[in-house]
């Protein structure tokens, strides 16, 4: 099918107001805007049509239109850099931005919604509109996205009978309540109402899950009856695409390469519809202890050239990956639990810190050649710098700060973090949990731990438990002593049916010599910003040079009068998290491949910045900064 491109500025189009912004016509690969199209008595934004030769294509206001999209997740990018990343998307030659909507971040506690700061979905879409970009939203409820539990909130796991991603009564009730809050935010963003949203995806990759043949119809109707009127999509990999599709929505493909058989299969499923690749993977995510994944720029260029040649609409996943700040990272079971690293660089078209790559320039050249239009100038690169090293001179051992925490829970038997009676009975979503009980004899400790635990007698470490190690020998003791089990959620699995069993912490079956332990005191260590602020007000001690065990370390990063982006190099530390001015930058781990943590310049204050490291194993000496990320190499094992 021949591909035609219209000029950057399209004629005969009245500007459309959107939240006091003027929607600009998209650049690159736009044929023009939409001709309203009626389907089952509803007007939708994006339409399809057939050429005389029978080939289908999208139309937008009566003209041919190719979706040239790139994924940029607002929740993985500092809000201050949204505009920079979107301008770079547009300057490369894209006309559409796609994003998931993470339920677990927006409703961490049931009934309590957060759409502020980096989670301000409406502001993000408004910004895209003001720049002249179309938007495709992917609201789930399940999104995968390599984030914790695939974007489903952890409180769904409180009920052992509820079945995720099915028409189970409890699950769809929770979905309905979430959509009752979310969808009204989306409605004015739709094209029909003057916004840039031209399509909405139903769920995500359900063909790989497929536990309930009625589920996708339920989610589709849940969107329609709340007022979604734009084009509906599903997306699946080529092997299971028919299982995830639903009548009334365009089936689209997720793929890592140009697999001819997948396109033939998709065409046979819906031969009167255009072909669209919802996810063409520009790279892949990394997990701790595994090699860094890369994909060649030449391969990306060749595959995208084929999409253009055949007239396929496409979306690159990811154009810009960003960062798994805090504890949002997911995990996979392969065959053991492997947490996704903090960086979501993905070897994408734009790097984690927003820098241009070889892939970017090859695609920009390709799109310019295909369209024949003059390209907008390249936005400036975001400056990076090196600051003086940080020497965390002060520390607080974990067990010294328990009195600073919220009141602990006392229970006869331990429960997982999701089932703790806290946070308005939503349990605990992220972080660590400390379980304490008194024991009066040694022996063989048995516990099912998810994902990793450090075990202590009073303050003395006696070993570790994890998904692969369920038993530990406790030495003989005199009298009764305090058994402490510190368990970390290292990321819930984000893909496959195993998400149903992703409860973290300890269950009730903790025993010594097969005698169940009772009477637990349980501390929630979710590491929220409010806790970090309280921690800074405490009396910190001078840190010894070689302290072992979980502890907080405090130092000052001096940046001068004009803060810029940088990276923290934690090569002489072992495993933990870093907070800067109360913001959780994410995990570091000496198993690699990631060796540096990205620090956005807008998160730094002029002059002095508080850096708090929670190190689980052994104190490092100092923290260096660097102006380049290190994602390639693995390093030593935990010591």
């Amino acid at each position: 099918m021949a591909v035609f491109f219209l000029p950057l500025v399209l004629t005969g189009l009245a500007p459309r107001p959107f939240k006091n912004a003027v929607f600009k016509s998209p650049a690159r690969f736009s044929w023009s805007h939409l001709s309203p199209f009626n389907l089952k008595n509803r007007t939708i934004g994006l339409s399809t049509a057939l050429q005389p030769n029978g080939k289908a294509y999208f139309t937008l206001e009566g003209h041919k239109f190719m979706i040239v999209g790139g994924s940029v997740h607002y929740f993985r990018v500092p809000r201050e850099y949204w505009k920079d990343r979107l301008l770079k998307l547009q300057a490369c030659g894209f006309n559409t931005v796609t994003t998931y909507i993470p339920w677990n971040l927006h409703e961490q506690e049931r009934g309590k919604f957060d759409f502020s700061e980096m989670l301000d979905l409406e502001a993000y879409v408004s910004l895209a509109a003001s720049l002249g970009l179309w938007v495709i939203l992917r609201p789930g409820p399940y999104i995968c996205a390599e984030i914790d539990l695939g974007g489903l909130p952890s409180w769904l796991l409180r009920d052992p009978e509820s079945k995720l991603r099915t028409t189970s009564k409890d699950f769809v009730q929770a979905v309905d309540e979430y959509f009752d809050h979310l969808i009204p935010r989306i409605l004015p963003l739709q094209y029909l109402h003057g916004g840039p949203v031209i399509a909405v995806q139903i769920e995500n990759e359900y063909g790989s899950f497929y536990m309930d043949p009625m589920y996708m119809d339920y989610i589709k109707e849940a969107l329609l009856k709340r007022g979604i009127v734009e084009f509906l999509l599903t997306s699946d990999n080529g092997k299971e695409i028919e299982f995830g599709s639903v009548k009334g929505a365009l089936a689209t493909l997720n793929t890592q390469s140009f697999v001819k058989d997948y396109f033939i299969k998709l065409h046979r499923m819906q031969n009167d519809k255009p072909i669209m690749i919802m996810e063409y993977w520009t790279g892949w995510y990394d997990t701790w202890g595994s090699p860094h994944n890369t994909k060649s720029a030449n391969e990306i260029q060749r595959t995208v050239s084929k999409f253009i040649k055949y007239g396929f609409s496409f979306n690159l996943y990811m154009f810009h990956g960003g960062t798994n700040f805090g504890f949002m990272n997911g995990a996979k079971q392969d065959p053991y639990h492997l947490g996704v690293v903090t960086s979501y660089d993905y070897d994408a078209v734009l790097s984690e810190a927003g820098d241009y790559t070889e892939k970017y320039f090859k695609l920009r050249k390709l799109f310019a050649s295909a369209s024949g239009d003059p390209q907008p100038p390249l936005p400036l690169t975001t400056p990076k710098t090196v600051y003086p090293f940080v020497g965390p001179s002060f520390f607080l051992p974990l067990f010294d700060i328990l009195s600073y925490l919220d009141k602990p829970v006392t229970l006869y038997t331990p429960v997982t973090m999701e089932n703790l009676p806290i946070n308005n009975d939503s349990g605990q979503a992220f972080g660590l949990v400390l379980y304490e009980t008194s024991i009066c004899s040694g022996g063989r400790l048995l516990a099912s731990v998810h994902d990793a635990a450090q075990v202590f007698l009073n303050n003395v470490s006696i070993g570790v438990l994890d998904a692969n190690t369920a038993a530990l020998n406790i030495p003989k003791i005199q009298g009764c002593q305090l058994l402490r089990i510190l368990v970390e959620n290292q990321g819930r699995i984000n893909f496959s049916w195993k998400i149903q069993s992703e409860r973290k912490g300890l269950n009730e079956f903790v025993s010594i010599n097969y005698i169940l332990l009772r009477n637990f005191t349980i501390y929630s260590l979710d590491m929220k910003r409010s806790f970090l602020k309280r921690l800074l007000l405490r009396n910190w001690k001078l840190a010894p040079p070689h302290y072992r065990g979980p502890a907080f370390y405090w130092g000052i990063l001096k940046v001068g009068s004009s803060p810029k982006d940088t990276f923290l190099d934690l090569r002489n530390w072992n495993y933990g998290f870093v907070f800067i001015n109360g913001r959780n930058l994410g995990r570091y781990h000496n198993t690699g491949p990631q060796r540096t943590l990205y620090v956005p310049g807008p998160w730094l204050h002029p002059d002095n910045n508080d850096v708090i490291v929670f190190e689980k194993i052994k104190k490092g000496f100092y923290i260096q900064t660097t102006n380049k990320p290190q994602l390639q190499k693995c390093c030593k094992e935990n010591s």
Side-chain angles (χ1 to χ4, degrees), residues 171-430:
F171 181 72
V172 295
Q173 180 183 345
V175 171
D176 285 338
E177 291 171 357
Y178 170 54
F179 277 5
D180 284 344
H181 186 92
L182 173 67
I183 302 305
R185 293 176 177 271
I186 295 175
L187 296 184
L189 309 178
Q190 296 180 100
Y191 175 87
L192 185 66
H193 302 303
V197 175
I198 55 173
V200 176
Q201 183 175 301
I202 306 169
E203 237 267 356
N204 190 58
E205 297 180 319
Y206 197 69
S208 302
F209 192 82
Y210 200 67
M211 290 291 182
D212 185 341
M214 299 183 293
Y215 176 69
M216 289 294 284
D217 271 308
Y218 187 94
I219 299 299
K220 181 191 75 173
E221 293 302 321
L223 295 171
L224 293 178
K225 72 182 183 182
R226 287 172 174 82
I228 295 297
V229 296
E230 301 304 335
F231 208 94
L232 295 179
L233 311 170
T234 61
S235 69
D236 290 277
N237 72 58
K239 294 180 181 179
E240 291 113 7
I241 195 165
E242 66 270 32
F243 301 111
S245 62
V246 62
K247 187 177 181 180
L250 179 76
T252 67
L253 181 67
N254 297 346
T255 185
Q256 64 178 348
S257 60
F258 192 98
V259 182
K260 185 178 179 180
D261 288 347
Y262 291 167
F263 297 112
I264 293 173
K265 183 178 183 179
L266 186 56
H267 177 68
R268 287 173 177 169
M269 284 176 57
Q270 45 186 26
N271 58 17
D272 61 340
K273 302 289 193 304
I275 296 292
M276 179 172 175
I277 300 92
M278 191 61 209
E279 291 185 12
Y280 169 54
W281 303 321
T282 59
W284 202 244
Y285 63 93
D286 292 337
T287 54
W288 293 114
S290 304
H292 175 55
N293 286 296
T294 60
K295 196 171 188 177
S296 79
N298 288 334
E299 181 181 351
I300 300 296
Q301 183 187 45
R302 285 194 301 268
T303 302
V304 174
S305 296
K306 291 181 181 178
F307 296 157
I308 296 172
K309 174 184 176 182
Y310 287 102
F312 297 164
S313 286
F314 57 90
N315 175 67
L316 301 193
Y317 189 100
M318 300 290 296
F319 170 77
H320 170 57
T323 307
N324 289 316
F325 292 115
F327 301 124
M328 76 169 71
N329 67 280
K332 68 177 182 178
Q333 198 80 6
D334 189 29
Y336 306 117
H337 182 280
L338 292 172
V340 175
V341 305
T342 299
S343 171
Y344 201 63
D345 178 84
Y346 210 85
D347 199 37
V349 181
L350 209 62
S351 77
E352 176 186 11
D355 293 323
Y356 297 115
T357 68
E358 182 184 2
K359 292 176 184 178
Y360 186 97
F361 292 113
K362 283 184 178 293
L363 287 175
R364 190 170 193 258
K365 183 177 180 180
L366 171 65
F367 295 160
S369 174
S371 70
D373 291 337
Q375 292 182 305
L378 282 174
L380 297 175
T381 57
T382 309
K384 314 293 188 297
T385 194
V386 176
Y387 294 115
F389 74 88
V390 179
S393 305
F394 300 93
F395 91 127
L396 286 172
L398 174 64
F399 302 129
D400 287 4
I401 62 97
L402 299 183
S403 60
Y404 306 156
L405 302 175
D406 293 334
K407 185 178 179 181
V409 173
T410 55
L411 294 174
Y412 186 59
T413 58
V415 297
T416 62
M417 65 165 55
E418 297 83 5
N419 284 287
L420 286 172
I422 60 175
N423 297 322
N424 299 314
D425 282 333
S426 294
Q428 180 180 335
F430 307 117

Side-chain angles (χ1 to χ4, degrees), residues 445-457:
L445 173 67
L446 288 174
S448 177
V449 170
H450 299 282
D451 294 303
Q454 295 166 275
V455 183
F456 303 84
L457 273 180

Side-chain angles (χ1 to χ4, degrees), residues 148-185:
D148 189 276
L149 205 62
L152 299 175
S154 61
W155 46 260
L156 290 169
L157 297 170
R158 289 173 67 85
D159 181 0
E161 302 301 320
S162 180
K163 296 179 180 178
L164 306 182
R165 301 182 74 190
T166 71
T167 51
S168 164
K169 179 181 177 181
D170 291 337
F171 181 72
V172 295
Q173 180 183 345
V175 171
D176 285 338
E177 291 171 357
Y178 170 54
F179 277 5
D180 284 344
H181 186 92
L182 173 67
I183 302 305
R185 293 176 177 271

